[in-house]
Amino acid sequence: MDLVSIEKALVEEIAIILAVPVDADTDLLADAGLDSFGTMQVIVFLEEEFGIQVPEDQFDINQFASVATIAGWVLPLVSAAEPAN
C-alpha cells in the first residue's frame, strides 16, 4: 500500500462521512467540519480498511487536519501491518 492509495481511499470515505467533497489538501477541521464523531468514524475506517490499530497514545487531533496529513501519519502503520513478501 502506498501513500497515494491511502489518500484516495480516505478522500472517498471522508467525503461520505462529512457529506462534502474533499481533496488531499482540504482543511478537514476548519473547512470541512470534521468533529469528534467524524474523527472516530475515520479511525474506525482506517482500522477496518487497512487492518491497523490506531494507538491511542499517539492520537493528536492535528493528525486529522487534512487527508494528506492522515495518510502520512497512517502509512507507517499500514506498512508495518502488511505481510512481508
Side-chain angles (χ1 to χ4, degrees):
M1 181 70 56
D2 63 12
L3 191 63
V4 173
S5 300
I6 294 170
E7 284 183 355
K8 184 176 186 282
L10 281 166
V11 163
E12 292 173 6
E13 185 66 20
I14 292 172
I16 293 168
I17 291 169
L18 299 179
V20 297
V22 298
D23 61 33
D25 298 318
T26 300
D27 186 329
L28 299 176
L29 302 172
D31 297 334
L34 184 66
D35 59 12
S36 59
F37 183 70
T39 302
M40 292 308 301
Q41 289 178 292
V42 173
I43 290 171
V44 169
F45 169 76
L46 292 168
E47 292 182 339
E48 291 177 355
E49 181 73 12
F50 301 114
I52 62 170
Q53 184 68 34
V54 174
E56 290 181 31
D57 63 337
Q58 293 181 12
F59 179 81
D60 179 347
I61 193 63
N62 294 320
Q63 294 164 322
F64 292 83
S66 70
V67 167
T69 304
I70 298 168
W73 169 66
V74 168
L75 180 61
L77 298 173
V78 173
S79 296
E82 290 179 335
N85 291 335

